[in-house]
Amino acid sequence: MSDMTSFIRELPKAELHLHIEGTLEPELRFKLAARNSIALPYSTLEEMRAGYLFHDLPSFLAVYYDAMSVLKTSQDFYDLAWAYLERAHAENVRYAEIFFDPQAHTSRGVAFHTVLSGLRNAVLDGRRLLGIRAQLIMCILRDHSAAYGMATLLESLAYRDLIIGIGLDSDEAGNPPAKFAEVFRRAREEGYRLTMHCDVDQAGSTDHIRQCLDVIGVERIDHGVNVLDDASLVAAAAARGIGFTVCPVSNRYVTGELKAHELRRMLQRGLKVTVNSDDPAYFDAYVTDNLVAAAAAAGLTEPDLVQLERNAFEVSWLGPGAKDALLGELDRFEAAALSEEA
Ligand SMILES: [Zn+2]
């Protein structure tokens, strides 16, 4: 392991853009299919991996939603989240904000409560048994109607204290942020924190980022690399301290490029940019791999990497006490790493 790789692995990290359904590794998919007596069109892990063919967002989403059919019971969702938390803990992720997509489950007959209870129990055990903190963000699927999104938001209110924020994901083409203005207005009134995906190089990317800032009033944008295409957007996002949750390896799958140089430019312009893994089981890269790939491609230094994690803790939705404690941990890590070098 190179010095840079071990530095990144040991760096205290926060992950803010992670879809729990995107952590479904082929091994667990087979195990859950067997437990739930679901027939899969694959007989080996290799065959399953070979079926994971995608080159853009829609082709990825087709594979992704199909795989979720094995998730049925609260225990299944627990096992999914627990596997992620163990893996994240091993990479020194100290805090994770975890997206889940209830509509991808309720639409196939799995109750909201089943999804949330499994995820919540894993989050509680992660804290108790591993010392990793996590909170849940509910995403609305943007390729469904705003009315369905509102119904899902209203359903979530029974579990208001288990969910920190609301996001927006899935296929962006023809589904701009403004389509969900009412849903997000209500979410804000209910006290949820707000974020939205603005995927990379979409038709209307800069318009969508502007809508996020001016119409929705988000605190963070997931991906959002195209902010660089418009200097006035960069200035507005920097002034408001908007967090950007960039996912380099995911970018490579859906656009052919890591966008690592864009990441470096975002850092240089003072944007609160962070690095995350998005759907690591499908992109074969957890957060350490994403940071290693971006650092190698864009020549990021150790202080750059510390800054990326400082940004992540700062734009996280932790309470002030926990946030300060983790920022302190990062400061101590940085001081110890620098004194070793001296
Ligand atoms: Zn995402």
Side-chain angles (χ1 to χ4, degrees):
M1 199 183 287
S2 75
D3 282 358
M4 187 55 121
T5 301
S6 53
F7 176 86
I8 290 171
R9 210 176 161 79
E10 290 161 21
L11 180 66
K13 292 179 282 296
E15 177 145 58
L16 306 179
H17 185 162
L18 181 279
H19 301 270
I20 201 63
E21 295 88 350
T23 68
L24 179 59
E25 291 286 347
E27 290 82 355
L28 183 59
R29 189 176 169 197
F30 265 116
K31 182 180 149 192
L32 298 182
R35 187 155 89 191
N36 293 321
S37 305
I38 293 167
L40 292 176
Y42 316 103
S43 50
T44 65
L45 291 170
E46 291 67 34
E47 274 181 39
M48 186 185 283
R49 286 207 177 88
Y52 287 10
L53 293 173
F54 28 81
H55 50 86
D56 59 9
L57 189 57
S59 59
F60 165 70
L61 291 170
V63 170
Y64 182 62
Y65 290 125
D66 181 53
M68 290 179 202
S69 64
V70 299
L71 295 163
K72 293 276 214 192
T73 68
S74 175
Q75 185 68 43
D76 299 339
F77 287 93
Y78 177 93
D79 290 352
L80 178 69
W82 179 253
Y84 165 70
L85 289 167
E86 277 196 310
R87 189 145 189 171
H89 171 66
E91 295 188 13
N92 208 24
V93 172
R94 302 290 292 122
Y95 175 62
E97 285 176 8
I98 298 175
F99 290 136
F100 69 108
D101 282 327
Q103 290 161 293
H105 312 300
T106 55
S107 62
R108 52 188 182 83
V110 177
F112 193 101
H113 180 80
T114 300
V115 179
L116 198 59
S117 62
L119 297 178
R120 180 61 182 174
N121 287 339
V123 166
L124 291 173
D125 280 354
R127 180 75 195 281
R128 190 168 59 88
L129 300 172
L130 303 174
I132 182 171
R133 288 175 181 271
Q135 301 196 84
L136 299 171
I137 301 175
M138 182 178 89
C139 280
I140 303 285
L141 297 182
R142 70 198 311 164
D143 43 0
H144 290 273
S145 71
Y148 184 23
M150 183 64 94
T152 303
L153 178 72
L154 297 178
E155 193 170 9
S156 79
L157 296 179
Y159 308 95
R160 174 64 195 83
D161 57 336
L162 304 185
I163 302 170
I164 185 79
I166 303 294
L168 184 73
D169 65 3
S170 202
D171 194 356
E172 190 167 333
N175 298 300
K179 172 179 168 185
F180 295 90
E182 275 304 295
V183 179
F184 278 69
R185 187 188 55 72
R186 177 66 188 267
R188 178 198 304 283
E189 281 175 13
E190 298 293 345
Y192 285 115
R193 315 296 289 266
L194 305 182
T195 187
M196 279 187 169
H197 277 56
C198 287
D199 282 276
V200 179
D201 295 347
Q202 297 288 300
S205 271
T206 52
D207 284 345
H208 293 182
I209 292 169
R210 192 175 304 284
Q211 287 177 21
C212 277
L213 298 181
D214 295 347
V215 180
I216 309 296
V218 297
E219 294 172 74
R220 295 207 301 252
I221 294 178
D222 301 305
H223 299 293
V225 169
N226 295 89
V227 69
L228 292 169
D229 299 345
D230 184 323
S232 71
L233 280 181
V234 171
R240 293 190 217 174
I242 300 290
F244 288 87
T245 63
V246 172
C247 307
V249 178
S250 164
N251 292 341
R252 190 172 63 204
Y253 271 87
V254 298
T255 73
E257 297 172 55
L258 287 169
K259 306 287 183 186
H261 292 280
E262 287 81 349
L263 176 73
R264 189 161 49 84
R265 281 165 58 206
M266 290 169 85
L267 262 181
Q268 286 166 343
R269 282 163 207 207
L271 294 170
K272 298 275 184 204
V273 61
T274 68
V275 167
N276 310 268
S277 68
D278 206 1
D279 299 291
Y282 293 88
F283 304 138
D284 201 21
Y286 283 78
V287 68
T288 295
D289 305 321
N290 272 272
L291 285 159
V292 168
L300 300 180
T301 62
E302 291 176 353
D304 291 335
L305 292 157
V306 170
Q307 184 63 46
L308 286 168
E309 294 310 321
R310 183 166 290 123
N311 290 346
F313 288 117
E314 283 177 359
V315 302
S316 78
W317 295 337
L318 279 165
K323 186 181 289 197
D324 289 347
L326 289 172
L327 282 166
E329 200 175 306
L330 182 63
D331 289 341
R332 289 191 294 280
F333 174 86
E334 183 182 30
L338 291 178
S339 71
E340 258 172 46
E341 277 174 20

